[in-house]
Amino acid sequence: MTGKKEKSSEKREKRLQEISLLRTIPYSDHQRWWSEETLAVVTGANRGIGFEIARQLAGHGLTVILTSRDTGVGIEAAKVLQEGGFNVDVHQLNILDDESVSEFTKWIKEKYGGVDILVNNAGVNYNLGSGNSMEYAKQVIETNYYGTKNMVKAMIPLMRPSAAGARIVNVSSRLGKLNGRRSRIEDEALREKLSNLETLSEELIDNMVSTFLQQVEDNTWQSGGWPQKFTDYAVSKLAVNLYSVLMANQLAGRPEGGKIYINCYCPGWVKTAMTGWSGNVSAEHAADTGVWLALLPNKEVTGKLFAERRELKL
Ligand code: NDP
């Protein structure tokens, strides 16, 4: 290992230990704003980080709706948690299928009346190691960005008013940083527009991803100034991060008692199917910042990107 790599690996190890310690400190009654009536929906929760987020939220005493695009797989995953004594319900949900999203929304409304927490975890990535194929770019952008947006739009009207505020947590990535040192879009004028709340809009984000997909189709994306690593995935997560900033700003106008907070986080490089089990942190650790964000007693935090329970500059 080179000196620089060694240093960052030591730093990560230290932070992992700090977080393990933090996790042993129970929430006080004063911090615990939730109860078993508090309802958290987790997408793509049949495996990986999503399953762990569902397990940890249920472990904190909330009711968790474990969703899975495959009904049978979801039922099996939920059974594991139910047999552990957790309050877990299960429902089919494909975030790309309008019918599935609307059927799920109807079911939640009828059975529970509303939602308090939404964790947008479902996502895809088809590149491993130094691979950067655009073969699945459309699917990656659609699932990670448009699927997440579908869920945000479907769940906001169901979010229950409360003093603590409802919460949306998007499992995103530091690869989708707007001003990342190593991985960012090169077009400075576009970066400027995207970083300014006066000019940031849903249309601007949609246009950015459409331009990217058009270039993929025309096979001109290599000279388009897009992030170099896992390009399709980085663009999709950049769109998620920006959409969260935009939504946080729009939702900030809601009255006290009806607030909704929305944040993103990067779980790190995680040992799950997505990385071919080659990550350097466990799903248990990777779920931590998402759960911490969903339960934050300090409710004013919104429109931010986190990793390891710390804010990252977008
Ligand atoms: P996994 O591949 O293990 O799990 C992904 C989950 O998303 C699966 O449950 C999958 O369902 C589900 N999913 C995919 N497409 C859809 C869809 N259209 N509708 C509903 N569910 C869907 O990956 P991880 O647990 O590693 O990833 C979880 C999240 O973390 C993703 O958003 C990912 O981008 C993010 N992340 C992961 C990193 C890592 O190193 N692993 C790093 C940074 C971010 P099914 O089982 O049916 O395929």
Side-chain angles (χ1 to χ4, degrees), residues 44 46-47 49 69 94-95 121 171-172 233 237 268 270 272:
N46 53 290
R47 68 177 199 210
I49 301 169
R69 63 176 158 178
N94 180 341
I95 60 167
N121 164 79
V171 186
S172 189
Y233 184 76
K237 295 296 192 183
V270 194
T272 61

Side-chain angles (χ1 to χ4, degrees), residues 43-50 68-70 73 93-96 120-125 143-144 171-173 233 237 266-275:
T43 67
N46 53 290
R47 68 177 199 210
I49 301 169
S68 164
R69 63 176 158 178
D70 183 295
V73 170
L93 176 65
N94 180 341
I95 60 167
L96 278 185
N120 280 310
N121 164 79
V124 291
N125 172 38
T143 308
N144 299 356
V171 186
S172 189
S173 171
Y233 184 76
K237 295 296 192 183
C266 176
W269 186 38
V270 194
K271 290 182 210 297
T272 61
M274 182 173 284
T275 59

Side-chain angles (χ1 to χ4, degrees), residues 47-64:
R47 68 177 199 210
I49 301 169
F51 177 79
E52 252 313 303
I53 292 176
R55 192 179 72 80
Q56 291 182 26
L57 285 174
H60 282 293
L62 290 86
T63 298
V64 174

